[in-house]
């Protein structure tokens, strides 16, 4: 089953206008040099940079996504941004349920599922994040936690065309620690089995499952070559175009 590798950058709460313009411009220029790359590229800047980044990406094959959205199309939700607004300013993707939002904003699986449904309705693709904490891993609950998160936060209507799963062990995010490649493959294969149960085998076999958590040029080739790893969600290393592109270079041939 061939699934197109997705190399996605999560810029988190980083970058002022000039930084965003330069980073997006550099990524666009490097992707252009690849001609017809075998992978798909995505950058997810903070809301304040979306319009600037969209301009910097004009004419390139790099897609743009946001890092969160509200469940409603519009209305009295001060400080929030709707999926329709994201679509309107040029996003084609949105990250939903990142562990930092689950922790900082107490987002539940139910809310994440509603956000994903709203995003799909607005014509956005979602990158739905799941992953266990260090305590859950130590208690050997990784697969249970991921199963619960998939069952609760992925809409029943999700398809391989509108949904990407990102497996991000919370303890690996921004820490420099990563699971072994054997552990990553075991969890990704288990995730695909759960997806098959929930969404059917056809969707599960076509749905991309990204790995995220301290991916960098030095470990990317090993992680991205695993059979059930279909790309990366990259935080820190996506803030430097050369690192982001070095990660991509390990799998996206010219
Ligand atoms: C992330 O936040 O999605 C992430 C994977 O971060 P980092 O690559 O910095 O660990």
């Amino acid at each position: 089953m061939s699934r197109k590798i997705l190399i996605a950058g999560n810029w988190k709460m980083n970058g002022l206008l000039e930084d965003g313009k330069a980073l997006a411009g550099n990524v666009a220029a490097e992707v252009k040099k690849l001609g017809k790359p075998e992978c798909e590229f995505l950058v997810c800047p903070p809301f304040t940079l979306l319009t600037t980044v969209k301009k910097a990406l004009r004419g390139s094959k790099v897609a743009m996504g946001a890092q969160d959205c509200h469940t409603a199309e519009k209305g009295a939700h001060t400080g929030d941004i709707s999926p329709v607004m994201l679509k309107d300013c040029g996003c084609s993707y949105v990250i939903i349920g990142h562990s930092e939002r689950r922790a900082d904003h107490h987002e539940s699986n139910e809310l994440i599922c509603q956000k994903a449904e709203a995003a799909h309705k607005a014509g956005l693709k979602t990158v739905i994040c799941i992953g266990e904490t260090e305590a859950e891993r130590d208690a050997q609950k990784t697969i249970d936690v991921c199963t619960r998160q998939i069952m609760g936060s992925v809409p029943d209507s999700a398809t391989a065309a509108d949904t990407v799963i990102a497996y991000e062990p919370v303890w690996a995010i921004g820490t420099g620690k990563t699971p072994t490649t054997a552990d990553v493959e075991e969890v990704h294969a288990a995730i695909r089995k759960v997806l098959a149960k929930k969404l059917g085998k056809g969707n599960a076999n076509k749905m991309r499952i990204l790995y995220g958590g301290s991916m960098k040029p030095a470990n990317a080739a090993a992680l991205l070559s695993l059979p059930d790893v279909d790309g990366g969600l990259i935080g820190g290393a996506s803030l430097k175009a050369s690192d982001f592109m070095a990660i991509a270079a390990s799998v996206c041939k010219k």
Side-chain angles (χ1 to χ4, degrees):
M1 175 61 58
S2 87
R3 296 176 291 264
K4 196 166 194 181
I5 293 275
L6 175 61
I7 302 295
N10 172 14
W11 295 4
K12 310 196 191 199
M13 196 172 70
N14 290 295
L16 302 181
L17 288 176
E18 284 308 312
D19 310 312
K21 193 172 156 186
L23 180 52
N26 288 337
V27 170
E30 290 303 315
V31 170
K32 206 167 188 183
K33 285 187 202 161
L34 296 176
K36 280 192 183 158
E38 285 176 14
C39 332
E40 193 183 328
F41 289 86
L42 168 67
V43 292
C44 300
F47 293 134
T48 49
L49 299 185
L50 290 174
T51 306
T52 302
V53 166
K54 188 66 195 171
K55 273 191 207 143
L57 295 177
R58 195 174 286 157
S60 92
K61 291 201 171 81
V62 183
M64 184 176 76
Q67 299 170 18
D68 178 46
C69 69
H70 197 269
T71 55
E73 280 179 27
K74 60 179 179 176
H77 301 287
T78 304
D80 282 312
I81 305 283
S82 84
V84 177
M85 290 167 166
L86 297 178
K87 180 81 180 164
D88 187 48
C89 68
C91 289
S92 48
Y93 278 88
V94 60
I95 297 171
I96 306 277
H98 191 281
S99 64
E100 286 151 14
R101 292 208 60 88
R102 289 179 186 260
D104 296 353
H105 299 272
H106 313 291
E107 292 196 2
S108 64
N109 287 326
E110 191 185 10
L111 177 66
I112 291 161
C113 185
Q114 288 165 2
K115 288 185 175 195
E117 283 169 343
H120 294 159
K121 189 169 167 221
L124 294 168
K125 295 175 189 171
T126 51
V127 178
I128 301 178
C129 301
I130 59 168
E132 82 286 2
T133 62
E134 189 151 36
E136 289 163 342
R137 174 196 178 230
D138 291 346
Q140 298 182 348
K141 293 209 169 115
T142 298
I143 303 221
D144 287 353
V145 170
C146 291
T147 300
R148 218 175 315 123
Q149 288 175 332
I150 291 168
M151 294 314 270
S153 54
V154 176
D156 289 341
S157 55
T159 68
D162 63 23
T163 303
V164 174
I165 304 296
Y167 168 57
E168 301 203 302
V170 179
W171 53 272
I173 295 179
T175 59
K177 295 192 247 175
T178 51
T180 63
T181 49
D183 285 349
V184 171
E185 179 54 24
E186 185 191 342
V187 178
H188 278 234
I191 289 170
R192 205 173 295 288
K193 271 199 190 145
V194 178
L195 289 171
K197 217 159 133 197
K198 185 175 173 74
L199 307 173
K201 258 195 174 169
N203 274 316
N205 285 338
K206 285 189 222 137
M207 192 168 282
R208 290 176 293 183
I209 306 173
L210 313 184
Y211 169 78
S214 296
M215 188 180 276
K216 50 188 182 231
N219 60 23
L223 290 163
L224 293 171
S225 64
L226 297 169
D228 281 294
V229 174
D230 308 308
L233 181 56
I234 302 140
S238 71
L239 296 174
K240 241 175 107 185
S242 56
D243 284 348
F244 188 61
M245 294 311 297
I247 289 171
S250 59
V251 277
C252 308
K253 292 181 212 87
K254 275 194 189 189

